[in-house]
Amino acid sequence: TYTTDTTSREENKKTIESLYKLSVDIKKIRRLKEWVLLQDVAYVKEVAGILQEMGADETAVAHILERCPEAILHTPAEINSQRALWQLVCQNEKQLIKLIQQFPESFFTTEYHENQKANILFFQELGLKNNIITRFLTSAPSIFYNPVEKNRNVIETLQRNYLSLGGSDANMKIWILKLLSQNPFILLNTSTTIQENLEFLQKNDFTDHEVLQLLSKLKGFIFQLTSTTMQKSMLFSKSVFKCSDQELKQLVLKCPALLYYSVPILEERLEGLLKEGISVAQIRETPMVLELTTQIVQYRIKKLSALGYDIKSGTLESLSGTKKDFEVNYGKIQSKKERPIFNPVAPINIED
C-alpha cells in the first residue's frame, strides 16, 4: 500500500539514486507524480530488470518509468503476474514490450488482476481474436476491471435482444463480435440501460428490423444514451424539419446522428450550415451532413468553393461522408473542372 498524501514527507533517496542510474528524468516525475518518490518502499531495480528481461533497452526502460512512475511501487511478483496474463494474448515478448512502452498505465494497473484474467478468458471463449483483446487491454482497460459476471450479463442481454428483434442464430456471434470490436465500452453499461433504450425505439414505432439496423449503424453507442436525451433530439429534429413522425423515423434511419447527438450539438451544427447559406430543405435531403463538426463543414465548403462549386445550389452529398469520401468527391469535381474540352473537328495548328 502507498499513499498520495505528500504533507511533510521526504523523497526516498534510494529511489532517486536508482532512477538516476537508469537515466530517468527525475524532474519530470517530480512535476507529474511526485508522490511516487515519497514512498518508503519502491522496486526500481527489480521492475527495470523485468522490463529488460522482456527486451526493453535502457532508453525504453527510462521512457516507461517516466510515463508511469507508479510502476516502481508494484512488487516483482505482481508485475510477473501481469506479464504472464498479457502473454495469453500477445504473440511474443517483443510485442508485449512494445505495448508496455505505448500504454504503460494499462499494463501497470495490477489491482484488478483476477478480473482481468477472467475477462481475457471470457473474451477468448466468446471468439474475440487475441489482437482485438490486446487492443481492448490498451485502449479500453476499464472493461477488464468489471467482474466477469457483469460483462457476461451484458453480452447475454445483447444476444437475447438480437434474437428477439429477429436476428438469426447463425449471424448472432458475428454481430456481437463486430459490435464489441467497434465499441468495447458497451460493456460499461448495465443490462437495464440496454433494455430501456431498445424499448424506447420500439415505442417510437421503429420495427424490429429497423432497431437492429440502428444498433449496427450506431456501433452500440445507442446504449450510452438515455431515453430522455433521444426524445429531446428527435423532437428538435421534428420541429426543424417540420416533418411527420413517419418522415422523422426515415430521417433517423438515414442519419442516426439525429438520435445520437444532443440538442445543443445539433443546434450548433445546424446554425453553422445555415450561416454558410445552406437551406433547411438541403439539410433534410442529406441529413448526414450533421454528423460533421462546423469546422469540418467550413473547411470542405472553402475547398469546394475554390473549384467554383456552389454548395448553395448543389447537393450536399459532395460535402458529407468521411474524410476519404470527401477526397474522392473533391477529386472528381477537380478533374471535371481541369479536363480540357476537346473539339474533334477543330483545325490543328501546325507551326512552320
Side-chain angles (χ1 to χ4, degrees), residues 76-88 96 106-114 116-117 137:
E78 285 172 332
I79 290 173
N80 277 322
S81 293
Q82 280 295 89
R83 177 183 177 179
L85 185 61
W86 282 48
Q87 277 174 327
L88 291 173
L96 175 54
S106 300
F107 179 78
F108 290 107
T109 302
T110 62
E111 292 87 334
Y112 306 93
H113 183 81
E114 288 310 312
Q116 284 180 330
K117 187 174 183 177
L137 276 168

Side-chain angles (χ1 to χ4, degrees), residues 196-242:
E196 281 171 1
N197 287 0
L198 292 176
E199 280 167 17
F200 167 81
L201 294 172
Q202 287 169 316
K203 278 175 196 164
N204 278 275
D205 292 330
F206 285 93
T207 66
D208 289 353
H209 175 70
E210 287 166 345
V211 173
L212 268 186
Q213 208 180 318
L214 276 174
L215 289 188
S216 302
K217 277 190 178 179
L218 277 166
K219 299 173 183 174
F221 287 111
I222 195 164
F223 302 126
Q224 282 155 250
L225 306 173
T226 66
S227 51
T228 316
T229 55
M230 287 193 280
Q231 185 72 52
K232 283 178 182 170
S233 297
M234 283 175 75
L235 287 172
F236 172 77
S237 298
K238 192 179 177 183
S239 82
V240 165
F241 297 121
K242 298 182 172 52

Side-chain angles (χ1 to χ4, degrees), residues 114-340:
E114 288 310 312
N115 283 357
Q116 284 180 330
K117 187 174 183 177
N119 279 307
I120 285 174
L121 297 173
F122 168 59
F123 292 143
Q124 285 177 329
E125 186 190 303
L126 205 59
L128 276 173
K129 289 191 168 67
N130 283 342
N131 63 328
I132 302 284
I133 300 173
T134 53
R135 200 182 82 212
F136 289 177
L137 276 168
T138 53
S139 60
S142 51
I143 66 168
F144 291 87
Y145 307 159
N146 284 339
V148 72
E149 294 73 29
K150 193 221 172 256
N151 286 342
R152 196 185 294 275
N153 201 354
V154 169
I155 295 294
E156 282 169 1
T157 304
L158 287 168
Q159 288 171 329
R160 201 167 50 248
N161 278 292
Y162 178 78
L163 293 173
S164 73
L165 290 166
S168 70
D169 255 322
N171 292 331
M172 184 173 68
K173 186 179 175 182
I174 296 163
W175 183 78
I176 286 283
L177 295 181
K178 192 178 177 187
L179 203 61
L180 268 180
S181 306
Q182 289 171 330
N183 180 17
F185 296 105
I186 203 169
L187 293 167
L188 298 180
N189 299 300
T190 63
S191 306
T192 317
T193 310
I194 292 173
Q195 208 66 51
E196 281 171 1
N197 287 0
L198 292 176
E199 280 167 17
F200 167 81
L201 294 172
Q202 287 169 316
K203 278 175 196 164
N204 278 275
D205 292 330
F206 285 93
T207 66
D208 289 353
H209 175 70
E210 287 166 345
V211 173
L212 268 186
Q213 208 180 318
L214 276 174
L215 289 188
S216 302
K217 277 190 178 179
L218 277 166
K219 299 173 183 174
F221 287 111
I222 195 164
F223 302 126
Q224 282 155 250
L225 306 173
T226 66
S227 51
T228 316
T229 55
M230 287 193 280
Q231 185 72 52
K232 283 178 182 170
S233 297
M234 283 175 75
L235 287 172
F236 172 77
S237 298
K238 192 179 177 183
S239 82
V240 165
F241 297 121
K242 298 182 172 52
C243 56
S244 67
D245 288 345
Q246 189 55 35
E247 287 168 331
L248 176 66
K249 200 176 83 163
Q250 292 313 311
L251 281 174
V252 169
L253 288 168
K254 206 171 175 184
C255 174
L258 294 176
L259 194 67
Y260 178 68
Y261 288 120
S262 66
V263 171
I265 290 174
L266 290 172
E267 230 165 6
E268 183 208 331
R269 293 184 180 186
L270 194 79
E271 273 172 34
L273 289 163
L274 297 176
K275 271 181 192 166
E276 296 293 336
I278 292 164
S279 68
V280 171
Q282 279 177 297
I283 300 166
R284 182 173 166 171
E285 197 59 41
T286 314
M288 295 78 74
V289 78
L290 289 166
E291 291 171 358
L292 307 170
T293 65
T294 307
Q295 289 82 349
I296 291 172
V297 166
Q298 287 168 342
Y299 167 76
R300 291 184 181 183
I301 288 175
K302 203 174 173 183
K303 279 199 83 172
L304 290 170
S305 300
L307 292 179
Y309 185 89
D310 184 13
I311 203 77
K312 294 170 206 169
S313 56
T315 167
L316 300 185
E317 289 287 344
S318 50
L319 200 62
S320 58
T322 62
K323 187 181 178 185
K324 196 179 173 183
D325 295 335
F326 173 72
E327 280 165 3
V328 168
N329 284 326
Y330 178 80
K332 281 179 188 170
I333 295 166
Q334 192 176 32
S335 61
K336 208 173 180 182
K337 186 177 184 288
E338 289 170 356
R339 197 179 299 134

Side-chain angles (χ1 to χ4, degrees), residues 2 42-43 47 70-79 108-111:
Y2 44 84
Y43 303 92
V47 172
E70 58 269 41
I72 63 172
L73 303 177
H74 293 295
T75 66
E78 285 172 332
I79 290 173
F108 290 107
T109 302
T110 62
E111 292 87 334

Side-chain angles (χ1 to χ4, degrees), residues 34-53:
E34 194 196 16
W35 58 271
V36 171
L37 304 174
L38 308 178
Q39 307 307 314
D40 295 332
V41 181
Y43 303 92
V44 184
K45 287 177 191 167
E46 294 87 340
V47 172
I50 294 169
L51 292 171
Q52 283 160 347
E53 243 178 64

